[in-house]
């Protein structure tokens, strides 16, 4: 048996593959384009595993995908591949439309052709699992209940609009052609191997270099934080037992403001890697110009996946962030290798 994972050299995909190989005796094929966010260093611990294969390529490559499907005959495809950074989508959304919309459409189309030709028993067991985000639902007011799967889609930035488009395509391929799909919409992940353009790894990286910690606007925006390995476990459970055509919201039930997260990171670093003399890392927190169209609050109601599939997050935000800070401290070689040339150009452009 084999599964095909796309975008497995990125943050969540790499954690998923490592997790999969630790918990399952089943081949995983990783298709990744290796954009700036894809990093094979994330997978050095599994590169010699006989159940792992890597192929560099694009989900939108309609010559490659049919060949891969014919060669590996996966029982499932799990789509992590995406352009994922909101701030980059605000500068230019071209690549987001290319991968998250056109790429997903072509991937679905090629999978549909392959699936249609499978013998009935394999057809019935096949799954396409699409990994998506809470951002498709838009933003919540402070007193509104968390997003359920029945909330309407109101994406507010080019990234979330492109992910919303992909979710709609996945739904349509099920409704129109019967393709056996599953969709997961998850809240903010954090943990090992996250590229230091996102809030938590950026702040750890900057703090260790005694650089400012740039909080957008008033720093009171709320995110629902989930440790990445909890997300991976949820995806495994949805893949094995999720109802075809269904959507599952996944969240950590850990709503925190960005300021609270920044303070928590600084307190942990003050304790385990004290910086300059008696001064706390908190002195580096700096309020900067807000993100345009910045969503004020996200929160996920995970009742469905908890009730129907028995999934629960195992980390609290406090335990998960502590583990994450330790991982970054112990993996400064990884950080140095991922924050070279292009990274500096991005930081200059975004924070000048
Ligand atoms: P990431 O940016 O770290 O990784 C994306 C990966 O996809 C990279 O390895 C990249 O090389 C690859 N990729 C990009 N375009 C590709 C293409 N056309 N063909 C093949 N590979 C391509 O992203 P992430 O944070 O790991 O997110 C993974 C998925 O989870 C995304 O779909 C994202 O929308 C979703 N998601 C992320 C979060 C989060 O907090 N990071 C939360 C919810 C959902
Ligand atoms: O909610 C799920 C989404 O979470 C995923 O779909 C996205 O792929 C993922 O990137 C993430 O999006 P966010 O925009 O929420 O993540 P980011 O880490 O970029 O920002 C988290 C919060 O921190 C957000 O309110 C913006 C703020 N922020 C971010 C950066 C990079 C800052 O205040 N300063 C910063 O420098």
């Amino acid at each position: 048996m084999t599964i095909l994972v796309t975008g497995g050299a990125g943050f969540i995909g790499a954690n998923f593959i490592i997790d999969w190989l630790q918990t399952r005796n089943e081949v995983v094929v990783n298709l990744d384009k290796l954009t700036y966010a894809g990093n094979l260093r994330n997978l050095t611990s599994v590169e010699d595993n006989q159940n792992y294969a890597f192929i560099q390529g694009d989900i939108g490559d309609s010559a490659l995908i049919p060949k891969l499907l014919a060669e590996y005959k996966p029982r499932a495809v799990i789509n992590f591949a995406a352009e994922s950074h909101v701030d980059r989508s605000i500068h230019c959304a071209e690549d987001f439309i290319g991968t998250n919309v056109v790429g997903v459409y072509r991937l679905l189309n090629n999978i549909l052709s392959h699936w249609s030709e499978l013998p009935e028993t394999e057809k019935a067991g096949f799954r396409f699992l699409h990994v998506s985000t809470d951002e498709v639902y838009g933003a919540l007011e402070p007193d509104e209940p968390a997003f359920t799967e029945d909330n309407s889609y109101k994406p507010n930035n080019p990234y979330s609009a492109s992910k919303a488009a992909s979710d709609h395509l996945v739904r349509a391929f099920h409704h129109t052609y019967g393709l056996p799909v599953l969709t997961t919409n998850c809240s903010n992940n954090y943990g090992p191997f996250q590229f230091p353009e996102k809030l938590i790894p950026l702040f750890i990286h900057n703090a260790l270099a005694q650089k400012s910690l740039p909080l957008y606007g008033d720093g009171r925006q709320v995110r629902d934080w989930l440790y990445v390995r909890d997300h991976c476990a949820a995806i495994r459970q949805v893949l094995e037992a999720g109802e075809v055509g269904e959507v599952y919201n996944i969240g950590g039930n850990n709503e925190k403001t960005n300021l609270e997260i920044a303070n928590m990171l600084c307190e942990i670093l003050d304790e385990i890697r004290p910086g300059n003399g008696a001064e706390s890392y908190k002195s580096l927190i700096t309020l900067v110009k807000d993100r345009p169209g910045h969503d004020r609050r996200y929160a996920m109601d995970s009742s469905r996946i908890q009730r129907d599939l028995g999934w629960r997050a195992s980390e609290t935000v406090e335990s998960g962030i502590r583990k994450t800070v330790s991982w970054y401290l112990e993996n400064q070689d990884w950080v140095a290798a991922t924050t070279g040339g292009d990274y500096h150009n991005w930081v200059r452009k975004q924070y000048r």
Side-chain angles (χ1 to χ4, degrees), residues 7 9-12 32-35 37-38 57-59 80-82 84 99 131-133 159 163 186-189:
F11 162 50
I12 304 174
D32 197 295
K33 187 178 174 181
L34 297 183
T35 67
D58 191 321
I59 56 166
F80 292 94
S84 70
T99 287
V131 179
S132 193
T133 170
Y159 160 71
K163 290 296 291 187
C186 188
S187 64
N188 283 64
N189 283 216

Side-chain angles (χ1 to χ4, degrees), residues 168-305:
H168 290 320
L169 286 167
V170 170
R171 178 187 159 85
F173 269 67
H174 173 64
H175 191 79
T176 307
Y177 308 111
L179 189 69
V181 305
L182 298 154
T183 300
T184 56
N185 292 84
C186 188
S187 64
N188 283 64
N189 283 216
Y190 65 96
F193 304 116
Q194 189 168 29
F195 190 66
E197 63 184 356
K198 308 278 169 69
L199 180 77
I200 289 178
L202 175 77
F203 276 28
I204 298 170
H205 181 55
N206 281 11
L208 293 174
Q210 290 293 328
K211 288 187 182 156
S212 72
L213 311 181
L215 264 189
Y216 298 157
D218 63 2
R220 309 275 169 184
Q221 302 82 8
V222 173
R223 298 290 182 266
D224 177 357
W225 295 94
L226 181 70
Y227 190 66
V228 63
R229 286 295 189 102
D230 280 327
H231 186 189
C232 296
I235 292 171
R236 274 195 277 111
Q237 275 173 258
V238 172
L239 182 66
E240 298 319 335
E243 192 181 326
V244 168
E246 199 52 273
V247 174
Y248 294 90
N249 281 0
I250 307 166
N253 203 17
N254 276 317
E255 285 187 59
K256 298 282 178 212
T257 66
N258 295 334
L259 181 59
E260 285 173 316
I261 294 290
N263 281 330
M264 200 183 291
L265 289 170
C266 291
E267 282 161 19
I268 296 170
L269 282 170
D270 286 340
E271 182 194 321
I272 60 179
R273 184 65 62 88
N276 266 350
E279 192 155 42
S280 165
Y281 286 103
K282 287 182 188 172
S283 63
L284 297 171
I285 296 174
T286 311
L287 295 183
V288 300
K289 189 165 160 278
D290 206 354
R291 173 186 279 178
H294 198 168
D295 282 337
R296 194 70 183 165
R297 174 176 166 241
Y298 305 138
M300 281 305 229
D301 180 336
S302 311
S303 307
R304 175 178 289 166
I305 187 171

Side-chain angles (χ1 to χ4, degrees), residues 59-79:
I59 56 166
D61 183 340
S62 290
L64 175 66
I65 300 297
K67 273 195 219 152
L68 283 184
L69 295 170
E71 182 179 346
Y72 288 102
K73 300 184 177 49
R75 69 171 175 99
V77 178
I78 305 173
N79 181 44

